[in-house]
Amino acid sequence: MNTFESAIGYSWFILTGAVATVELTLLSCLLALILAMLAGIALTSDQIAVRAVTRIYVEIFRGTSVFVQLFAAYFVLPFVGVSLSPLQSGVLALGLNGGAYGAEVVRAALNAVGRDQREATIALNLTRWQALWWVILPQAVVFMLPSFGNLAIELMKGTAVASLITVSELTFQAQVVRGQTGDTAMPFLLILVIYLLIASALISFVRWLERRFGRGIVSANT
Amino acid sequence: MIWSWEFVAEITPDLLKGLVVTVKITLISSVAALSIGLFFAIAKMSSVDLVRRSAVLVTETIRRTPLLVQLYFLFYVLPDIGIVLSPMIAGTIGLGLHYGTYVSEVYRAGIINVPAGQWEAARACNLTTRQTWTEIVLPQAIPPMIPPLGNYVIAMFKETPILSAITVLDLMGEALAKANFSYRYLEPITLVAVGFLFVSLCSAALIRLLENYLKRQAA
């Protein structure tokens, strides 16, 4: 009886970690999305300097693992005068990492929009930004969404690593419970199920977005 | 805190030792992932409904949960039921299993992308099943698989630092040990980042060369 009650007690404690996991996932997805859009557009720029700087950002963050980046954000940045809370470091590292992967997706999607569309915007005398905003992006978004969905899942999985820089999310809470009670199977099974639920929710959301943005566009892969 | 080359010189030998462990883990778990992936791919293409569904369920579950939690599971939960794995073995199995699910998709896509006409032609030419696979399907399916497989090997290499969380002394593990001992994080973590960046950029370039070579072969 006692063990059952304590199991309920620490399940609740672990569930509080889900809030931090969701928060971390959403904030870093948001940061990644903004960075991916900016960097992706910059990668298709005419100016070589813009392209080069963006390329360096993308290669650095794709070339090292999110694990190393999290540790750099949390342990190394304070030494150069930037002190961030664990959550802030987590959002920064995960966002920068996701943004680098996302930039490639955005670049590929922008390039996948037909050349005739670009020529039409020139013929209609639209400015570069008008063309991008009203013609190219709305079509490119449909190409981006499936990959963005996968990246969101990768980011969500990356949040588990943030437990190692003391963000009290699911994995961290499970480790605390393991340390306090010595019980291992229950906490880890519980968080596996919660991660699975969060991932499935994310996937359903992206599928819904795909349908929403896919409306009115003739699909090329039917 | 300023960069100290003396400290760099002091920790470099141990970091190199860690790098060897990292490379070793990458190689072994790549082989594991390639074999586990093959197993899952065959199961996912099975004609038995139950096998196919359970393969999809298992791979999706593994793909949708964090590698770190899976590693904790292998390292902390399995001993409860009497299976005690060393950190190295648990890490290798975890990495191999996690990436095996990704690799299975590569295999499946490669085989599915062989046009149906090729299968039908093989049948029309009265080839045996074995001949169909070895002479017709695999020679066309394997070349397009190589670049994505290579990318997953690089991805696994980049993921190995996570193994330091279950006390494997790989490159990151050594760096963290040094950092925790001396309380200097700047040099070890920067060196690890530079090391990983260097190796992954080089291997990405190698894969691009390979890809171009395969394209020329196909043309």
Side-chain angles (χ1 to χ4, degrees):
Chain A
M1 190 63 204
N2 257 342
T3 51
F4 181 70
E5 264 171 19
S6 72
I8 294 201
Y10 69 63
S11 299
W12 183 250
F13 176 73
I14 289 176
L15 278 176
T16 58
V19 179
T21 294
V22 171
E23 194 179 12
L24 194 55
T25 308
L26 291 182
L27 288 176
S28 50
C29 278
L30 191 67
L31 178 63
L33 187 65
I34 295 170
L35 285 172
M37 281 293 174
L38 292 177
I41 293 169
L43 281 176
T44 60
S45 158
D46 295 331
Q47 268 143 356
I48 189 157
V50 175
R51 276 210 314 276
V53 171
T54 321
R55 181 51 63 195
I56 292 173
Y57 155 65
V58 170
E59 291 303 331
I60 285 181
F61 282 89
R62 273 162 37 116
T64 55
S65 84
V66 73
F67 190 96
V68 180
Q69 289 157 22
L70 275 167
F71 274 75
Y74 189 59
F75 288 112
V76 178
L77 281 188
F79 289 129
V80 292
V82 188
S83 279
L84 298 174
S85 75
L87 186 73
Q88 287 168 334
S89 318
V91 171
L92 182 72
L94 289 166
L96 281 168
N97 186 271
Y101 281 94
E104 285 293 329
V105 174
V106 172
R107 186 185 62 88
L110 290 176
N111 287 338
V113 174
R115 206 185 146 74
D116 47 346
Q117 298 287 330
R118 257 166 233 282
E119 285 162 2
T121 63
I122 296 169
L124 290 170
N125 210 16
L126 299 185
T127 64
R128 269 185 67 92
W129 292 110
Q130 280 176 328
L132 191 66
W133 185 251
W134 293 107
V135 181
I136 309 295
L137 267 182
Q139 299 180 68
V141 165
V142 184
F143 293 114
M144 294 175 201
L145 280 173
S147 306
F148 274 171
N150 289 339
L151 284 178
I153 301 291
E154 293 297 323
L155 270 188
M156 190 282 290
K157 294 198 298 192
T159 60
V161 182
S163 65
L164 299 172
I165 57 163
T166 70
V167 180
S168 43
E169 45 70 78
L170 281 170
T171 311
F172 187 83
Q173 305 292 79
Q175 282 284 49
V176 170
V177 169
R178 187 182 70 84
Q180 302 269 325
T181 67
D183 192 357
T184 51
M186 215 330 244
F188 284 126
L189 273 177
L190 184 64
I191 63 170
L192 269 182
V193 171
I194 300 175
Y195 277 119
L196 204 56
L197 288 178
I198 298 176
S200 306
L202 268 177
I203 290 173
S204 316
F205 176 61
V206 174
R207 296 267 156 79
W208 177 78
L209 280 180
E210 279 171 39
R211 282 199 302 278
R212 173 74 190 71
F213 279 92
R215 243 181 247 166
I217 290 181
V218 183
S219 175
N221 50 15
T222 44
Chain B
M1 175 173 281
I2 37 163
W3 183 271
S4 147
W5 285 109
E6 272 167 45
F7 187 55
V8 170
E10 188 191 316
I11 61 175
T12 302
D14 281 329
L15 289 187
L16 285 178
K17 225 163 46 190
L19 183 64
V20 174
V21 175
T22 293
V23 171
K24 212 155 57 177
I25 292 172
T26 309
L27 290 180
I28 301 173
S29 41
S30 300
V31 175
L34 292 177
S35 336
I36 294 170
L38 189 63
F39 170 77
F40 278 135
I42 293 171
K44 274 199 253 184
M45 289 186 289
S46 158
S47 50
V48 184
D49 208 44
L50 184 69
V51 174
R52 206 172 52 235
R53 274 163 198 271
S54 35
V56 170
L57 188 72
V58 170
T59 50
E60 281 303 309
T61 306
I62 295 176
R63 283 170 69 123
R64 289 180 190 187
T65 49
L67 176 59
L68 182 64
V69 180
Q70 291 161 9
L71 289 175
Y72 282 160
F73 210 83
L74 288 171
F75 192 59
Y76 292 123
V77 180
L78 285 191
D80 282 0
I81 54 168
I83 307 171
V84 181
L85 301 170
S86 77
M88 263 291 260
I89 309 261
T92 314
I93 294 177
L95 259 183
L97 198 61
H98 195 82
Y99 278 89
T101 61
Y102 288 86
V103 165
S104 74
E105 271 310 299
V106 177
Y107 288 143
R108 208 173 65 96
I111 290 168
I112 282 180
N113 283 341
V114 175
Q118 298 289 323
W119 291 92
E120 287 157 12
R123 179 147 221 170
C125 291
N126 209 16
L127 298 186
T128 61
T129 312
R130 191 197 160 83
Q131 281 173 324
T132 310
W133 278 97
T134 57
E135 306 284 326
I136 310 292
V137 177
L138 288 182
Q140 295 184 75
I142 288 175
M145 291 178 193
I146 289 176
L149 289 181
N151 284 333
Y152 280 129
V153 171
I154 299 181
M156 287 171 78
F157 172 73
K158 283 188 298 190
E159 288 285 357
T160 50
I162 219 170
L163 267 55
S164 62
I166 55 165
T167 71
V168 175
L169 278 180
D170 68 326
L171 180 51
M172 189 72 179
E174 291 280 0
L176 286 180
K178 290 280 169 280
N180 289 335
F181 188 67
S182 61
Y183 217 71
R184 291 185 70 100
Y185 283 92
L186 180 63
E187 293 89 351
I189 294 189
T190 311
L191 285 179
V192 171
V194 170
F196 273 99
L197 193 60
F198 178 73
V199 177
S200 35
L201 286 181
C202 289
S203 33
L206 260 178
I207 288 189
R208 209 164 299 155
L209 282 180
L210 188 67
E211 205 172 343
N212 289 339
Y213 171 76
L214 288 172
K215 258 186 209 149
R216 271 204 308 277
Q217 288 275 300

